[in-house]
Amino acid sequence: MLDIKWIRDNAAALDAALAKRGASPLAQALIDLDEKRRSVIQKAQDMQSRRNAASKEIGAAMAAKNAELADRLKAEVSAIKDQLPAAEEEERQVTAELNDALSRIPNIPLDDVPVGTDETGNVEKLKWGSKPGWNHKALEHYEIGEALGYMDFEAAAKIAGSRFTVLKGQLARLERALGQFMIDVHTGEHGYTEVHAPLLVRDDAMFGTGQLPKFSEDLFRTTDGRWLIPTAEVSLTNLVREDILDQEKLPLRFTALTPCFRSEAGSAGRDTRGMLRQHQFMKCELVSITDAESSIDEHERMTACAEEILRRLGLHYRLMTLCTGDMGFGARKTYDLEVWLPGQDTFREISSCSVCGDFQARRMNARYRGRDDKATKFVHTLNGSGTAVGRALIAVMENYLNEDGSVTVPDVLLPYMGGLKKIEKAA
């Protein structure tokens, strides 16, 4: 959420940033709405001031035994008292209208973010590893999983409908191993604190991280008004909502391995086969809370932590800087890690790491104070996938496929597999 004061002082900069994102100018409309809000506030304050002054004048008139003046002043105070609720309600409505408009404006891209309209404008920053060296036919993950007998889409459809998967036996264990491996690396080596947080959250939490009010159609809601988290970013980031933190305790780094739930409302017809795009999936999330000076460096660090997972798994990937037209709503800059999938003969996203500046902190009222500072500042927030577990499973299956249809278990996962070195067809 952007600061209206900043918008008033930087109207041209806001419209230029929105243009980079492919959005229409909004600065003047927001300033006009703020002017209306200020006018309504001033009107209410003037009425209150006049009521207070008239009340004092009543006492003076009565002391002077001027009953006529006292009666006129009493009538004036009574009239103002009757008019104030309407003025205060108008103030609430205009303020709510302005806040709603502000809440729907995307974040300002950093200056070094490439300008583009969609994913074709993303820029490759680096590439690591190489494609598998084998010569046998590449297969997609669902072909491998179904042939092995451990991936069942028909059973999932009977239970829950489309975009769900049932994993069984050795593949279920392999996915669990991947998630456990990720959380162990991030907590044991990268300095993140593991958190078990709610999967069901309130409106305020979704608003804080930017999913509401603009993206409600992408979410699942319960009958009691809570929301299923689309990512543990929501729960982890909101741990600091409405807090004032000590700067010396920053950064805070949190991680969680959780199910995530998304309606995929805008994905009709995309990735309908297999488990690449699901309503329910596992993800290892990374969240950092920093001061204003550290967030850019923390972004590079977080991305490197996600990269390390792919490197230890021996997966070929590339690091992309997203352009302005492909970046998420709350991000100032985003790196995507795209892993090589031989079955699709292309790179696909497996992790997205974003720095959000104080955008989410303003929505959550999350602040920090330095040791010698009287004033507080908004924290900066970052989030990333470390990584998506289901997509990591897909990548392992396709890249470690053997000619006989079995899948070799990557070395780093062997301690989690109970001695199983190869995923073979179910008996």
Side-chain angles (χ1 to χ4, degrees), residues 6-80:
W6 182 88
I7 293 172
R8 293 181 70 93
D9 295 340
N10 299 274
L14 172 64
D15 286 343
L18 291 174
K20 289 180 180 180
R21 281 184 172 266
S24 302
L26 289 173
Q28 192 56 54
L30 292 166
I31 291 171
D32 290 345
L33 193 54
D34 189 43
E35 288 291 347
K36 181 180 178 182
R37 180 185 66 90
R38 291 180 176 209
S39 175
V40 169
I41 290 172
Q42 188 61 55
K43 175 183 173 183
Q45 289 176 343
D46 290 346
M47 292 173 68
Q48 290 169 340
S49 296
R50 180 55 196 152
R51 181 187 63 179
N52 295 338
S55 297
K56 292 180 181 179
E57 291 171 15
I58 291 171
M62 292 179 69
K65 297 185 178 181
N66 189 338
E68 182 181 351
L69 176 58
D71 288 343
R72 286 203 309 270
L73 290 169
K74 288 177 182 178
E76 182 182 2
V77 169
S78 179
I80 293 173

Side-chain angles (χ1 to χ4, degrees), residues 20 22 66 138 161 206 224 295 300 347 417:
K20 289 180 180 180
N66 189 338
M206 286 292 196
D224 67 353
S295 58
E300 301 296 326
F347 289 98
M417 294 298 291

Side-chain angles (χ1 to χ4, degrees), residues 60-126:
M62 292 179 69
K65 297 185 178 181
N66 189 338
E68 182 181 351
L69 176 58
D71 288 343
R72 286 203 309 270
L73 290 169
K74 288 177 182 178
E76 182 182 2
V77 169
S78 179
I80 293 173
K81 183 178 179 181
D82 291 341
Q83 295 166 8
L84 260 178
E88 291 169 345
E89 178 60 27
E90 184 181 9
E91 178 186 338
R92 283 191 291 270
Q93 289 179 358
V94 174
T95 300
E97 185 180 354
L98 175 61
N99 287 338
D100 182 68
L102 290 171
S103 73
R104 296 174 185 273
I105 302 171
N107 207 349
I108 304 298
L110 293 177
D111 291 339
D112 63 345
V113 174
V115 177
T117 57
D118 54 32
E119 62 185 16
T120 60
N122 297 342
V123 176
E124 183 179 303
K125 186 176 181 181
L126 65 84

Side-chain angles (χ1 to χ4, degrees), residues 138-183:
L139 297 174
E140 294 210 44
H141 69 280
Y142 53 84
E143 298 174 300
I144 301 168
E146 288 181 322
L148 289 171
Y150 298 125
M151 191 174 282
D152 194 335
F153 299 102
E154 289 187 9
K158 285 190 291 185
I159 297 167
S162 62
R163 294 196 185 279
F164 290 91
T165 305
V166 170
L167 295 177
K168 302 175 182 177
Q170 296 175 10
L171 277 188
R173 181 162 192 167
L174 183 60
E175 186 187 49
R176 176 161 55 90
L178 281 161
Q180 189 66 55
F181 162 68
M182 293 173 191
I183 206 82

Side-chain angles (χ1 to χ4, degrees), residues 290-292 358 361-363 365-368 376-380:
T290 74
D291 59 24
D358 64 5
R362 290 181 180 277
R363 303 168 81 99
N365 193 24
R367 299 169 179 265
Y368 70 94
T376 60
K377 300 176 183 178
F378 288 107
V379 300
H380 282 202

